[in-house]
Amino acid sequence: VLIKGGVHLENLGRIQAIAFDKTGTITKGEPEVTDVMQIGKLQVNYWLGMAAAVEGRSTHPIAQAIVDVTAAQGLMLPEVGELESITGRGIKAEVAGPAVWVGSIKLYNEADGEIPGSIQTKIEWLEEQGKTTMLVAVDKRPVGVIAVADVIRTGANAALAQLKRLKIRHTVMLTG
């Protein structure tokens, strides 16, 4: 920062509001898997590995978050057959035989699937927290929900608390 003239430096002492860009400043700027919810009896590692295998063929940042979480767990990913990307909805492919769908509730509903009310309620709860949810279905049967979010940067809360102690009255987050 180049400050030309002492008066501008002195004016910093009277600042009452600061606006921050959210992505990459307050948050890490990279989506991370925050929640994995099992539906039914199919083992989590099994369907999560299938979802990651499908998402591994996508370039979407949310897809990468799913691949990253399975890599961190050391899960082996099965072979993926023909893949179909449904813009704005999700992705589907054959994975070691069965058809695997990973995407929004809209994708699942459009495939004539029925989501039980209890699952719908859990998905809404996650989305109210600002998380993006993906329903995973194997052979049109819901088996799990994955929630992804751009998480808060380490130290962001402390920095905002310090600004409050410095008498900054308003902190504003700018986001798209």
Side-chain angles (χ1 to χ4, degrees), residues 45-156:
N45 285 349
Y46 177 72
W47 64 259
L48 188 59
M50 293 176 95
V54 171
E55 293 288 9
R57 305 251 315 262
S58 173
T59 58
H60 197 283
I62 289 176
Q64 190 58 50
I66 296 170
V67 172
D68 289 347
V69 79
T70 57
Q73 294 177 7
L75 297 180
M76 296 297 294
L77 304 184
E79 289 291 318
V80 176
E82 189 174 327
L83 184 94
E84 181 183 351
S85 178
I86 300 103
T87 305
R89 301 277 194 263
I91 195 167
K92 65 180 180 176
E94 287 186 13
V95 180
V100 176
W101 299 59
V102 183
S104 68
I105 291 175
K106 289 179 184 178
L107 173 70
Y108 190 70
N109 286 339
E110 289 168 1
D112 296 325
E114 287 212 24
I115 300 173
S118 61
I119 297 168
Q120 180 74 35
T121 301
K122 289 177 183 178
I123 290 171
E124 288 170 3
W125 178 76
L126 290 166
E127 289 177 349
E128 286 170 4
Q129 295 175 32
K131 298 174 181 178
T132 300
T133 59
M134 286 151 294
L135 184 69
V136 179
V138 176
D139 283 336
K140 295 191 177 184
R141 191 179 78 242
V143 295
V145 175
I146 302 169
V148 177
D150 186 6
V151 296
I152 304 289
R153 259 185 185 282
T154 304

